[in-house]
């Protein structure tokens, strides 16, 4: 298919809109994590991991396609919501306790993987839906990854700046943001 054809341009615009919609989670949740305080090196690492997950999850979903679309579509979103609720509650609890409680640290490999998975899990559901239609798999994966990674960088940087303004309440506010998105996924 020719890149300048109306069909290809329409597909590109549609995929870009979907990529931005999926990237909004990374942006919003990045603000929440950024409020806890995060170094620039961790922003880069976490954003690259989010970009990778935003590529792998829809790819796996697209390959899975219609076979499990009806079976797992809503379950993936619910699992992501539960994970975000747990992370959000823990962040709020940790900040209200006053001392540093043992928490999932976004600076560790495990913490980064959990965060990247939580913001990318809905990409799997979208991938499953896209797998039912004939489309450019490579274009989809690259767009989703690039947009998710860029939006997470922006969100983490913005949260980092806002975190300095809100001081010690930043972790609680970040937890509330994660909690709100988790509840939104569950509803």
């Amino acid at each position: 298919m020719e890149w300048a054809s109306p069909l290809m341009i329409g597909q590109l615009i549609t995929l870009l809109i979907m990529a931005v919609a999926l990237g909004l989670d990374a942006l919003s949740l990045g603000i929440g994590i950024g409020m806890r305080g995060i170094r620039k090196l961790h922003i880069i690492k976490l954003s690259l991991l989010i970009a990778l997950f935003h590529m792998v999850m829809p790819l796996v979903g697209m390959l899975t396609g219609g076979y499990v679309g009806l079976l797992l579509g809503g379950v993936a979103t619910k699992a992501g919501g539960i994970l975000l609720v747990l992370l959000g509650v823990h962040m709020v609890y940790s900040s209200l306790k006053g001392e540093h409680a043992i928490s999932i640290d976004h600076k560790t490999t495990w913490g980064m993987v959990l965060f990247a998975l939580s913001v990318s899990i809905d990409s799997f559901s979208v991938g499953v839906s896209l797998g039912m239609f004939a489309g450019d798999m490579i274009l989809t994966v690259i767009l989703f990854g690039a947009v998710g990674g860029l939006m997470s960088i922006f969100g983490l940087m913005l949260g980092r700046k806002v975190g300095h303004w809100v001081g010690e309440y930043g972790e609680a506010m970040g937890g509330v943001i994660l909690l709100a998105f988790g509840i939104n996924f569950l509803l």
Side-chain angles (χ1 to χ4, degrees), residues 14-15 18-19 21-22 57-62 65 72-73 76-77 120-133 140 144:
T14 301
L15 290 174
M18 292 174 85
L22 291 171
M57 296 301 282
L59 179 63
V60 171
M62 289 173 77
L72 292 180
T77 304
S120 302
I121 195 99
D122 54 345
S123 297
F124 174 78
S125 300
V126 171
V128 169
S129 300
L130 290 174
M132 293 183 226
F133 305 104
T140 302
F144 282 19

Side-chain angles (χ1 to χ4, degrees), residues 23 26 43-44 46-52 54 143-156:
I43 290 173
I44 293 168
L46 187 55
S47 295
L48 287 174
L49 193 59
I50 289 169
L52 177 67
H54 265 77
L143 268 177
F144 282 19
V147 171
L150 289 172
M151 291 181 83
S152 67
I153 288 173
F154 184 71
L156 289 164

Side-chain angles (χ1 to χ4, degrees), residues 14-71:
T14 301
L15 290 174
L16 190 58
I17 290 169
M18 292 174 85
V20 168
L22 291 171
L24 286 174
D25 285 350
L27 173 80
S28 302
L29 298 173
I31 292 171
I33 289 294
M35 283 183 179
R36 293 180 70 183
I38 188 168
R39 294 179 46 211
K40 288 181 182 177
L41 178 63
H42 289 115
I43 290 173
I44 293 168
K45 287 180 181 179
L46 187 55
S47 295
L48 287 174
L49 193 59
I50 289 169
L52 177 67
F53 271 78
H54 265 77
M55 293 170 73
V56 170
M57 296 301 282
L59 179 63
V60 171
M62 289 173 77
L63 293 174
T64 306
Y67 179 68
V68 293
L70 296 174
L71 182 63

Side-chain angles (χ1 to χ4, degrees), residues 105-165:
D105 187 4
H106 63 273
K107 298 172 198 130
T108 65
T109 301
W110 177 245
M112 285 193 283
V113 167
L114 281 176
F115 181 72
L117 179 63
S118 70
V119 299
S120 302
I121 195 99
D122 54 345
S123 297
F124 174 78
S125 300
V126 171
V128 169
S129 300
L130 290 174
M132 293 183 226
F133 305 104
D136 191 334
M137 190 179 298
I138 294 171
L139 176 65
T140 302
V141 168
I142 289 172
L143 268 177
F144 282 19
V147 171
L150 289 172
M151 291 181 83
S152 67
I153 288 173
F154 184 71
L156 289 164
M157 292 295 285
L158 182 62
R160 184 173 180 232
K161 296 288 184 198
V162 172
H164 293 297
W165 296 333

